[in-house]
Amino acid sequence: MIQVLNRGGINITFLGHSGFIFEKDGHKIAVDPFLTNAPMAVKTPDEIIVDDILVTHGHPDHIGDSISIARKNDVTITTTFEVARYLQNNGAKAFGVPIGVEQLFPWGKAIFRPAVHSGLLPDNTPFDISAGIIFDFGSFRIYHLGDTAINLDFKLVKEIYQPDMALIPIGGRVNMDIPQAVLAAEWLGVKTVVPIHYDLFTQGPVNPLDFKKLIDSKNSRIECIVMEP
Ligand SMILES: [Zn+2]
C-alpha cells in the first residue's frame, strides 16, 4: 500500500481515518488531523509540522488534534463558523468561512462545499452544516468530501471545479457505503480516488480493497489508490 502519493506536484500523506497532509512547493496543509486514540494513526500530534489546518466539520474524529497542532505550530484553523467558534473557545486561532466561496491561501484556494451530515460539537452545541473541501492548487484540485451522504452537489462540483482527485468516505452508517461512494466518484469525474473513513463508525468491517475492486470492475478509468498511514 502507498504511504505518500504524488499527483499533480502535490505530496499527499494519509494520516488515517480522514486525515491528510498535502505538501505543495514547501507549503504543508493538514486536513482533519485525527491522531490521538485514532485506530489507524501512526504519527503523534507533535510530529505534525504544518502551515495551515482545515477542518471539515465539528465531530471529534475530524477536529481531532487540530487544536494542539495549531497551537504548537502557531497556525490558524480554517473551518465553518460554529466549529471556528468552538476552536477559539478552546484556545486555538480559528477562522470561520461560509460555504461555496473561494478562500485564498498562499498555496491556492479552498472552497467549502455543503456535505449532507450534521450533529453536535464536543461541547454538545449543534453545528448547522458540515463541509467537504476542494483544495485548488492551481494545476491540481483535490476534493476531500468530509463526512457526507451521497448528494447531487457532486455533479455541480464536477461542472464548476472539475476536481482531479477525490478523497471519499466509504464506511456506511454515517457516510456513503461502497456502492454509493463508487457512484459519487463517477459523478465527480475524477481521475484518482482514495477511500477514507472505513476504520471507525461502520456497521461491521469495511475493506477499502472492496471499494477498489468495484471501481476497477467498472472500467471507468478512475485510478483507485488505497493508502496507509
Ligand atoms: Zn467522521
Side-chain angles (χ1 to χ4, degrees):
M1 285 207 269
I2 294 172
Q3 284 175 312
V4 182
L5 181 64
N6 187 292
R7 289 290 178 278
I10 321 292
N11 274 333
I12 299 152
T13 303
F14 187 37
L15 299 175
H17 199 58
S18 293
F20 286 87
I21 292 175
F22 307 132
E23 192 173 355
K24 165 88 191 297
D25 299 335
H27 297 289
K28 286 184 160 190
I29 305 115
V31 55
D32 289 358
F34 168 46
L35 301 167
T36 302
N37 299 322
M40 292 179 78
V42 296
K43 290 189 168 67
T44 64
D46 277 355
E47 293 174 71
I48 307 295
I49 312 280
V50 287
D51 310 298
D52 266 308
I53 303 170
L54 288 84
V55 170
T56 57
H57 66 284
H59 282 143
D61 56 316
H62 297 264
I63 290 176
D65 295 285
S66 58
I67 293 172
S68 67
I69 297 168
R71 288 169 63 110
K72 180 166 172 287
N73 289 267
D74 192 24
V75 299
T76 298
I77 305 167
T78 303
T79 183
T80 55
F81 290 114
E82 296 96 338
V83 183
R85 188 188 306 137
Y86 169 82
L87 297 171
Q88 288 159 356
N89 290 342
N90 285 275
K93 287 196 276 185
F95 182 60
V97 299
I99 297 288
V101 182
E102 287 181 348
Q103 305 297 323
L104 302 182
F105 292 88
W107 43 265
K109 299 172 196 165
I111 302 106
F112 283 61
R113 294 302 306 181
V116 179
H117 188 72
S118 59
L120 302 175
L121 287 156
D123 66 2
N124 279 328
T125 55
F127 56 88
D128 266 353
I129 194 160
S130 290
I133 306 171
I134 300 167
F135 294 85
D136 183 348
F137 294 101
S139 56
F140 196 78
R141 286 178 284 270
I142 301 172
Y143 184 22
H144 186 304
L145 274 67
D147 279 2
T148 187
I150 192 161
N151 68 85
L152 290 169
D153 190 61
F154 302 151
K155 296 195 176 192
L156 204 50
V157 166
K158 180 190 178 187
E159 177 86 23
I160 300 174
Y161 300 104
Q162 289 121 28
D164 297 285
M165 179 173 181
L167 314 173
I168 298 191
I170 64 164
R173 191 175 160 222
V174 298
N175 272 308
M176 294 178 281
D177 58 15
I178 285 176
Q180 290 180 353
V182 170
L183 188 56
E186 290 172 351
W187 284 356
L188 287 165
V190 289
K191 300 181 197 86
T192 305
V193 289
V194 176
I196 62 173
H197 212 291
Y198 46 80
D199 54 325
L200 267 180
F201 311 120
T202 63
Q203 301 181 85
V206 174
N207 186 343
L209 294 173
D210 291 339
F211 174 73
K212 180 174 169 55
K213 257 185 235 159
L214 193 53
I215 288 272
D216 291 349
S217 74
K218 302 261 180 180
N219 293 317
S220 55
R221 280 187 265 168
I222 299 173
E223 168 196 46
C224 179
I225 300 194
V226 177
M227 295 186 70
E228 69 176 311

